Amino acid sequence: MANKEKLILVKVGGKVVENPEALHRLITDLSHLEGRKVLVHGGGVLATKTATALGIETTMVDGRRVTDDQTIDVVTMVYAGLVNKRIVCMLQSLGTNAIGLCGADMNIILSHKRPVKTVDYGWVGDVERVDGKALSTLIESGVVPVIAPLTHDGKAHILNTNADTIAAETAKGLSEYYDVTLVFCFEKRGVLADATNDHSVIPWLDLQRYEALKGDGVITDGMIPKLDNAFSTISHGVKEVVITHADCLCDLSQGTHIR
């Protein structure tokens, strides 16, 4: 499809969501961006705090939340309720028409429950498909979809789903219809060569350089699944991925660029 319209898909992490000032700056910047846009948000930090306040224990394995019957209720309330509607209200106050969604709405993201291998993660979903056409109908009507990190299995079960993965899979699903740039906004300036130095941003990565830095132990821990998602989107038609600080949304020359 020639001459596709540009679209920016922004994913904002839970630590930014939890910080009212940082979130307001990002939402203000998003509202100022021209053209078509989508926002995917996290909220894990707030979900953990809410669970604690309700006397519900949080169990994490390799950075992933084990989502039992009580926890799926908590993350549904926090992600699709409090966080999602707070962001939608902020966008409306800035003159940007938005709609809050999770994967079950309009059947936009269908997942299956993660199979039990060494760990039973409970009600956690692995994405099967994203309905880019359905999302495009909203986008073309002038609405900004705000997507919470929840999907469904088609059998009336809500599934907790990694927000980075939702952003990546949604970017892939929309790449058939748009020229997509995917931006991961979080509390760091980009992918860092030195985890203790926030100014040691690696300005660009291709797959060969990524594998070398990962092998050398420069890129580790939670950045690996984020970058795996990023490179997966590039191989499925997404034009560019940018990993940057939440304050830099209006200046995407900064951060780490993956093409």
mmCIF file of all heavy atoms in Angstrom, residues 25-60:
data_model
loop_
_atom_site.group_PDB
_atom_site.id
_atom_site.type_symbol
_atom_site.label_atom_id
_atom_site.label_comp_id
_atom_site.label_asym_id
_atom_site.label_seq_id
_atom_site.Cartn_x
_atom_site.Cartn_y
_atom_site.Cartn_z
ATOM 1 N N ARG A 25 3.032 15.999 31.664
ATOM 2 C CA ARG A 25 3.904 16.507 30.599
ATOM 3 C C ARG A 25 3.796 15.642 29.348
ATOM 4 O O ARG A 25 3.692 16.157 28.232
ATOM 5 C CB ARG A 25 5.359 16.546 31.074
ATOM 6 C CG ARG A 25 5.693 17.698 32.002
ATOM 7 C CD ARG A 25 7.194 17.889 32.134
ATOM 8 N NE ARG A 25 7.849 16.710 32.687
ATOM 9 C CZ ARG A 25 8.045 16.513 33.991
ATOM 10 N NH1 ARG A 25 7.621 17.419 34.881
ATOM 11 N NH2 ARG A 25 8.664 15.438 34.421
ATOM 12 N N LEU A 26 3.813 14.337 29.545
ATOM 13 C CA LEU A 26 3.754 13.449 28.388
ATOM 14 C C LEU A 26 2.422 13.564 27.662
ATOM 15 O O LEU A 26 2.383 13.633 26.427
ATOM 16 C CB LEU A 26 3.990 12.000 28.813
ATOM 17 C CG LEU A 26 3.938 11.023 27.638
ATOM 18 C CD1 LEU A 26 5.178 10.144 27.581
ATOM 19 C CD2 LEU A 26 2.691 10.143 27.693
ATOM 20 N N ILE A 27 1.327 13.594 28.414
ATOM 21 C CA ILE A 27 0.011 13.698 27.780
ATOM 22 C C ILE A 27 -0.142 15.044 27.071
ATOM 23 O O ILE A 27 -0.726 15.125 25.978
ATOM 24 C CB ILE A 27 -1.114 13.501 28.819
ATOM 25 C CG1 ILE A 27 -1.029 12.095 29.426
ATOM 26 C CG2 ILE A 27 -2.482 13.724 28.195
ATOM 27 C CD1 ILE A 27 -1.100 10.968 28.422
ATOM 28 N N THR A 28 0.400 16.099 27.658
ATOM 29 C CA THR A 28 0.381 17.406 26.996
ATOM 30 C C THR A 28 1.161 17.357 25.689
ATOM 31 O O THR A 28 0.703 17.848 24.644
ATOM 32 C CB THR A 28 0.965 18.486 27.922
ATOM 33 O OG1 THR A 28 0.186 18.546 29.121
ATOM 34 C CG2 THR A 28 0.943 19.853 27.249
ATOM 35 N N ASP A 29 2.352 16.757 25.724
ATOM 36 C CA ASP A 29 3.159 16.628 24.506
ATOM 37 C C ASP A 29 2.432 15.792 23.454
ATOM 38 O O ASP A 29 2.435 16.125 22.265
ATOM 39 C CB ASP A 29 4.514 16.002 24.825
ATOM 40 C CG ASP A 29 5.434 16.936 25.592
ATOM 41 O OD1 ASP A 29 5.159 18.152 25.629
ATOM 42 O OD2 ASP A 29 6.439 16.450 26.154
ATOM 43 N N LEU A 30 1.805 14.709 23.886
ATOM 44 C CA LEU A 30 1.068 13.860 22.948
ATOM 45 C C LEU A 30 -0.061 14.640 22.288
ATOM 46 O O LEU A 30 -0.291 14.522 21.076
ATOM 47 C CB LEU A 30 0.513 12.640 23.680
ATOM 48 C CG LEU A 30 -0.294 11.654 22.820
ATOM 49 C CD1 LEU A 30 0.615 10.932 21.833
ATOM 50 C CD2 LEU A 30 -1.025 10.639 23.700
ATOM 51 N N SER A 31 -0.745 15.449 23.071
ATOM 52 C CA SER A 31 -1.858 16.222 22.518
ATOM 53 C C SER A 31 -1.389 17.228 21.470
ATOM 54 O O SER A 31 -2.153 17.598 20.570
ATOM 55 C CB SER A 31 -2.614 16.949 23.639
ATOM 56 O OG SER A 31 -1.851 18.013 24.166
ATOM 57 N N HIS A 32 -0.122 17.666 21.585
ATOM 58 C CA HIS A 32 0.421 18.648 20.647
ATOM 59 C C HIS A 32 0.937 18.017 19.352
ATOM 60 O O HIS A 32 1.184 18.736 18.378
ATOM 61 C CB HIS A 32 1.551 19.443 21.311
ATOM 62 C CG HIS A 32 1.075 20.372 22.378
ATOM 63 N ND1 HIS A 32 1.883 20.853 23.379
ATOM 64 C CD2 HIS A 32 -0.153 20.907 22.614
ATOM 65 C CE1 HIS A 32 1.197 21.642 24.176
ATOM 66 N NE2 HIS A 32 -0.050 21.688 23.731
ATOM 67 N N LEU A 33 1.141 16.703 19.363
ATOM 68 C CA LEU A 33 1.618 16.043 18.146
ATOM 69 C C LEU A 33 0.529 16.058 17.082
ATOM 70 O O LEU A 33 -0.622 15.720 17.351
ATOM 71 C CB LEU A 33 2.017 14.596 18.449
ATOM 72 C CG LEU A 33 3.243 14.361 19.329
ATOM 73 C CD1 LEU A 33 3.451 12.864 19.525
ATOM 74 C CD2 LEU A 33 4.490 15.002 18.725
ATOM 75 N N GLU A 34 0.918 16.417 15.879
ATOM 76 C CA GLU A 34 -0.044 16.424 14.792
ATOM 77 C C GLU A 34 -0.188 15.029 14.199
ATOM 78 O O GLU A 34 0.702 14.200 14.295
ATOM 79 C CB GLU A 34 0.398 17.420 13.710
ATOM 80 C CG GLU A 34 0.409 18.873 14.181
ATOM 81 C CD GLU A 34 0.757 19.831 13.067
ATOM 82 O OE1 GLU A 34 1.014 19.347 11.936
ATOM 83 O OE2 GLU A 34 0.773 21.047 13.320
ATOM 84 N N GLY A 35 -1.328 14.785 13.587
ATOM 85 C CA GLY A 35 -1.524 13.536 12.878
ATOM 86 C C GLY A 35 -2.117 12.432 13.731
ATOM 87 O O GLY A 35 -2.589 12.635 14.849
ATOM 88 N N ARG A 36 -2.059 11.234 13.198
ATOM 89 C CA ARG A 36 -2.681 10.064 13.816
ATOM 90 C C ARG A 36 -1.797 9.521 14.938
ATOM 91 O O ARG A 36 -0.577 9.454 14.787
ATOM 92 C CB ARG A 36 -2.923 9.008 12.745
ATOM 93 C CG ARG A 36 -3.957 9.463 11.709
ATOM 94 C CD ARG A 36 -3.803 8.690 10.406
ATOM 95 N NE ARG A 36 -4.862 9.025 9.452
ATOM 96 C CZ ARG A 36 -4.866 10.098 8.668
ATOM 97 N NH1 ARG A 36 -3.862 10.964 8.735
ATOM 98 N NH2 ARG A 36 -5.865 10.326 7.831
ATOM 99 N N LYS A 37 -2.440 9.103 16.021
ATOM 100 C CA LYS A 37 -1.658 8.630 17.173
ATOM 101 C C LYS A 37 -2.473 7.650 18.002
ATOM 102 O O LYS A 37 -3.709 7.672 18.017
ATOM 103 C CB LYS A 37 -1.188 9.810 18.030
ATOM 104 C CG LYS A 37 -2.257 10.839 18.349
ATOM 105 C CD LYS A 37 -1.630 12.201 18.631
ATOM 106 C CE LYS A 37 -2.712 13.269 18.769
ATOM 107 N NZ LYS A 37 -2.156 14.631 18.837
ATOM 108 N N VAL A 38 -1.734 6.791 18.711
ATOM 109 C CA VAL A 38 -2.289 5.788 19.616
ATOM 110 C C VAL A 38 -1.424 5.791 20.862
ATOM 111 O O VAL A 38 -0.199 5.979 20.779
ATOM 112 C CB VAL A 38 -2.272 4.383 18.962
ATOM 113 C CG1 VAL A 38 -2.753 3.319 19.952
ATOM 114 C CG2 VAL A 38 -3.119 4.358 17.692
ATOM 115 N N LEU A 39 -2.038 5.582 22.017
ATOM 116 C CA LEU A 39 -1.289 5.483 23.271
ATOM 117 C C LEU A 39 -1.565 4.139 23.926
ATOM 118 O O LEU A 39 -2.713 3.731 24.076
ATOM 119 C CB LEU A 39 -1.688 6.611 24.229
ATOM 120 C CG LEU A 39 -0.962 6.633 25.580
ATOM 121 C CD1 LEU A 39 0.516 6.960 25.397
ATOM 122 C CD2 LEU A 39 -1.612 7.639 26.524
ATOM 123 N N VAL A 40 -0.498 3.454 24.323
ATOM 124 C CA VAL A 40 -0.587 2.240 25.139
ATOM 125 C C VAL A 40 0.076 2.549 26.470
ATOM 126 O O VAL A 40 1.183 3.093 26.504
ATOM 127 C CB VAL A 40 0.124 1.055 24.459
ATOM 128 C CG1 VAL A 40 0.142 -0.161 25.385
ATOM 129 C CG2 VAL A 40 -0.548 0.705 23.127
ATOM 130 N N HIS A 41 -0.586 2.216 27.561
ATOM 131 C CA HIS A 41 -0.020 2.556 28.870
ATOM 132 C C HIS A 41 0.155 1.331 29.741
ATOM 133 O O HIS A 41 -0.548 0.326 29.601
ATOM 134 C CB HIS A 41 -0.903 3.581 29.595
ATOM 135 C CG HIS A 41 -2.267 3.090 29.945
ATOM 136 N ND1 HIS A 41 -2.514 2.289 31.043
ATOM 137 C CD2 HIS A 41 -3.471 3.270 29.326
ATOM 138 C CE1 HIS A 41 -3.811 2.016 31.099
ATOM 139 N NE2 HIS A 41 -4.415 2.583 30.067
ATOM 140 N N GLY A 42 1.118 1.444 30.671
ATOM 141 C CA GLY A 42 1.279 0.458 31.732
ATOM 142 C C GLY A 42 0.553 0.913 32.983
ATOM 143 O O GLY A 42 -0.390 1.699 32.923
ATOM 144 N N GLY A 43 1.025 0.446 34.116
ATOM 145 C CA GLY A 43 0.398 0.807 35.392
ATOM 146 C C GLY A 43 0.725 -0.171 36.491
ATOM 147 O O GLY A 43 0.040 -0.217 37.521
ATOM 148 N N GLY A 44 1.781 -0.962 36.278
ATOM 149 C CA GLY A 44 2.113 -2.012 37.224
ATOM 150 C C GLY A 44 2.457 -1.523 38.611
ATOM 151 O O GLY A 44 2.131 -2.180 39.608
ATOM 152 N N VAL A 45 3.110 -0.373 38.704
ATOM 153 C CA VAL A 45 3.489 0.162 40.010
ATOM 154 C C VAL A 45 2.245 0.470 40.829
ATOM 155 O O VAL A 45 2.140 0.118 42.020
ATOM 156 C CB VAL A 45 4.363 1.415 39.849
ATOM 157 C CG1 VAL A 45 4.723 1.999 41.210
ATOM 158 C CG2 VAL A 45 5.642 1.090 39.072
ATOM 159 N N LEU A 46 1.269 1.121 40.201
ATOM 160 C CA LEU A 46 0.027 1.460 40.888
ATOM 161 C C LEU A 46 -0.792 0.210 41.220
ATOM 162 O O LEU A 46 -1.436 0.136 42.278
ATOM 163 C CB LEU A 46 -0.798 2.428 40.035
ATOM 164 C CG LEU A 46 -2.043 3.033 40.677
ATOM 165 C CD1 LEU A 46 -1.701 3.743 41.986
ATOM 166 C CD2 LEU A 46 -2.713 4.016 39.711
ATOM 167 N N ALA A 47 -0.736 -0.790 40.343
ATOM 168 C CA ALA A 47 -1.458 -2.039 40.610
ATOM 169 C C ALA A 47 -0.904 -2.726 41.857
ATOM 170 O O ALA A 47 -1.664 -3.241 42.686
ATOM 171 C CB ALA A 47 -1.363 -2.969 39.413
ATOM 172 N N THR A 48 0.420 -2.706 41.997
ATOM 173 C CA THR A 48 1.044 -3.313 43.170
ATOM 174 C C THR A 48 0.648 -2.568 44.441
ATOM 175 O O THR A 48 0.318 -3.190 45.465
ATOM 176 C CB THR A 48 2.573 -3.324 43.018
ATOM 177 O OG1 THR A 48 2.923 -4.090 41.854
ATOM 178 C CG2 THR A 48 3.252 -3.922 44.242
ATOM 179 N N LYS A 49 0.651 -1.235 44.397
ATOM 180 C CA LYS A 49 0.249 -0.440 45.555
ATOM 181 C C LYS A 49 -1.205 -0.704 45.926
ATOM 182 O O LYS A 49 -1.559 -0.816 47.109
ATOM 183 C CB LYS A 49 0.462 1.051 45.269
ATOM 184 C CG LYS A 49 1.916 1.485 45.280
ATOM 185 C CD LYS A 49 2.018 2.989 45.138
ATOM 186 C CE LYS A 49 3.458 3.464 45.289
ATOM 187 N NZ LYS A 49 3.570 4.940 45.188
ATOM 188 N N THR A 50 -2.064 -0.807 44.919
ATOM 189 C CA THR A 50 -3.489 -1.039 45.177
ATOM 190 C C THR A 50 -3.706 -2.429 45.775
ATOM 191 O O THR A 50 -4.488 -2.599 46.727
ATOM 192 C CB THR A 50 -4.293 -0.893 43.874
ATOM 193 O OG1 THR A 50 -4.067 0.421 43.324
ATOM 194 C CG2 THR A 50 -5.776 -1.080 44.108
ATOM 195 N N ALA A 51 -3.003 -3.415 45.236
ATOM 196 C CA ALA A 51 -3.118 -4.765 45.782
ATOM 197 C C ALA A 51 -2.690 -4.804 47.250
ATOM 198 O O ALA A 51 -3.362 -5.411 48.088
ATOM 199 C CB ALA A 51 -2.273 -5.729 44.957
ATOM 200 N N THR A 52 -1.591 -4.127 47.558
ATOM 201 C CA THR A 52 -1.110 -4.077 48.942
ATOM 202 C C THR A 52 -2.142 -3.436 49.862
ATOM 203 O O THR A 52 -2.412 -3.918 50.971
ATOM 204 C CB THR A 52 0.216 -3.307 49.023
ATOM 205 O OG1 THR A 52 1.186 -3.971 48.203
ATOM 206 C CG2 THR A 52 0.728 -3.224 50.446
ATOM 207 N N ALA A 53 -2.749 -2.335 49.395
ATOM 208 C CA ALA A 53 -3.768 -1.651 50.194
ATOM 209 C C ALA A 53 -4.982 -2.540 50.449
ATOM 210 O O ALA A 53 -5.656 -2.405 51.477
ATOM 211 C CB ALA A 53 -4.196 -0.368 49.490
ATOM 212 N N LEU A 54 -5.235 -3.475 49.509
ATOM 213 C CA LEU A 54 -6.376 -4.392 49.657
ATOM 214 C C LEU A 54 -5.988 -5.684 50.371
ATOM 215 O O LEU A 54 -6.817 -6.583 50.516
ATOM 216 C CB LEU A 54 -6.944 -4.722 48.270
ATOM 217 C CG LEU A 54 -7.609 -3.563 47.520
ATOM 218 C CD1 LEU A 54 -7.930 -3.961 46.086
ATOM 219 C CD2 LEU A 54 -8.876 -3.100 48.239
ATOM 220 N N GLY A 55 -4.722 -5.778 50.796
ATOM 221 C CA GLY A 55 -4.278 -6.975 51.495
ATOM 222 C C GLY A 55 -4.023 -8.160 50.586
ATOM 223 O O GLY A 55 -4.060 -9.309 51.034
ATOM 224 N N ILE A 56 -3.750 -7.886 49.313
ATOM 225 C CA ILE A 56 -3.505 -8.943 48.331
ATOM 226 C C ILE A 56 -2.014 -8.977 48.012
ATOM 227 O O ILE A 56 -1.430 -7.969 47.611
ATOM 228 C CB ILE A 56 -4.328 -8.708 47.046
ATOM 229 C CG1 ILE A 56 -5.827 -8.731 47.371
ATOM 230 C CG2 ILE A 56 -3.984 -9.732 45.977
ATOM 231 C CD1 ILE A 56 -6.702 -8.244 46.241
ATOM 232 N N GLU A 57 -1.406 -10.126 48.184
ATOM 233 C CA GLU A 57 0.038 -10.258 47.966
ATOM 234 C C GLU A 57 0.362 -10.260 46.474
ATOM 235 O O GLU A 57 -0.353 -10.870 45.671
ATOM 236 C CB GLU A 57 0.544 -11.549 48.602
ATOM 237 C CG GLU A 57 2.054 -11.754 48.491
ATOM 238 C CD GLU A 57 2.529 -13.040 49.140
ATOM 239 O OE1 GLU A 57 1.695 -13.741 49.766
ATOM 240 O OE2 GLU A 57 3.726 -13.352 49.022
ATOM 241 N N THR A 58 1.428 -9.562 46.102
ATOM 242 C CA THR A 58 1.901 -9.543 44.717
ATOM 243 C C THR A 58 3.091 -10.486 44.577
ATOM 244 O O THR A 58 4.042 -10.409 45.347
ATOM 245 C CB THR A 58 2.313 -8.121 44.301
ATOM 246 O OG1 THR A 58 1.161 -7.271 44.316
ATOM 247 C CG2 THR A 58 2.919 -8.123 42.905
ATOM 248 N N THR A 59 3.020 -11.366 43.590
ATOM 249 C CA THR A 59 4.119 -12.284 43.302
ATOM 250 C C THR A 59 4.665 -11.986 41.910
ATOM 251 O O THR A 59 3.905 -11.966 40.929
ATOM 252 C CB THR A 59 3.650 -13.747 43.361
ATOM 253 O OG1 THR A 59 3.105 -14.010 44.661
ATOM 254 C CG2 THR A 59 4.795 -14.706 43.083
ATOM 255 N N MET A 60 5.973 -11.732 41.835
ATOM 256 C CA MET A 60 6.631 -11.463 40.562
ATOM 257 C C MET A 60 7.661 -12.553 40.306
ATOM 258 O O MET A 60 8.398 -12.951 41.210
ATOM 259 C CB MET A 60 7.322 -10.105 40.578
ATOM 260 C CG MET A 60 6.436 -8.931 40.974
ATOM 261 S SD MET A 60 5.176 -8.490 39.755
ATOM 262 C CE MET A 60 6.184 -7.680 38.510
#
